[in-house]
Amino acid sequence: MTLGGLKAVRQLSEEGINTNVTLVFSPLQALLAAKAGASYISPFVGRLDDISQDGMNLVEQIIDIFANYLFEAEIIVASVRSPMHVLTAAKLGADIATIPFKVIEQLAQHPLTDIGMDKFLKDWQRWKNRCAERCPGSNPD
């Protein structure tokens, strides 16, 4: 996100080439990028959180501004650090999020899922044991 970058975005967008303006840290930077014709705008939410600012608040502000002007640029939530970033981005209506694998793993995990899987496996083992006792020579697997 630089003035030179915005000039390049303007030129490339006039030529029909999609662009992504990255390292966006304020709603006004996002506004400038959208006005220049950026196809995608990437607010870096985790880096804002690192300096005690609310990165997801920035995404909300950008979405509000884009709705006011009917900008077509898509918002890529970048520098995602936690499942809460993903949830908030989805609730706000962000178009895309770049999510590290570690966070994807966290999204898939839940303690009640682990408890449920353990119970299902124990139930299956009990059924196999009963079947083996009642049906000698059979293979329940």
Side-chain angles (χ1 to χ4, degrees), residues 14-141:
E14 287 174 359
E15 295 175 24
I17 298 171
N18 289 337
T19 56
N20 178 15
V21 175
T22 66
L23 294 172
V24 171
F25 294 102
S26 79
L28 295 175
Q29 287 180 320
L31 176 63
L32 287 174
K35 297 280 281 176
S39 309
Y40 305 95
I41 296 170
S42 298
F44 277 53
V45 298
R47 293 187 191 186
L48 284 169
D49 288 355
D50 290 346
I51 62 167
S52 299
Q53 293 185 11
D54 184 353
M56 293 313 298
N57 185 52
L58 171 60
V59 174
E60 184 174 14
Q61 291 175 333
I62 293 170
I63 289 171
D64 288 345
I65 290 168
F66 283 19
N68 288 341
Y69 293 97
L70 303 176
F71 288 130
E72 293 184 20
E74 292 187 32
I75 299 167
I76 301 175
V77 177
S79 188
V80 169
R81 303 277 170 81
S82 72
M84 289 308 298
H85 280 157
V86 177
L87 176 61
T88 304
K91 287 171 64 175
L92 291 172
D95 300 291
I96 303 164
T98 58
I99 307 171
F101 187 70
K102 173 185 155 194
V103 175
I104 292 172
E105 288 179 319
Q106 292 171 335
L107 294 174
Q109 294 174 346
H110 193 281
L112 292 176
T113 300
D114 295 340
I115 291 167
M117 288 297 296
D118 185 53
K119 182 175 177 350
F120 290 161
L121 291 172
K122 286 177 181 173
D123 288 347
W124 169 245
Q125 190 61 48
R126 274 194 299 274
W127 181 85
K128 279 181 20 178
N129 291 342
R130 277 191 226 140
C131 185
E133 291 170 5
R134 293 180 185 159
C135 311
S138 69
N139 184 1
D141 290 322

Side-chain angles (χ1 to χ4, degrees), residues 2-12 36:
T2 63
L3 289 176
L6 292 175
K7 288 179 187 176
V9 165
R10 168 66 69 200
Q11 179 65 41
L12 292 168

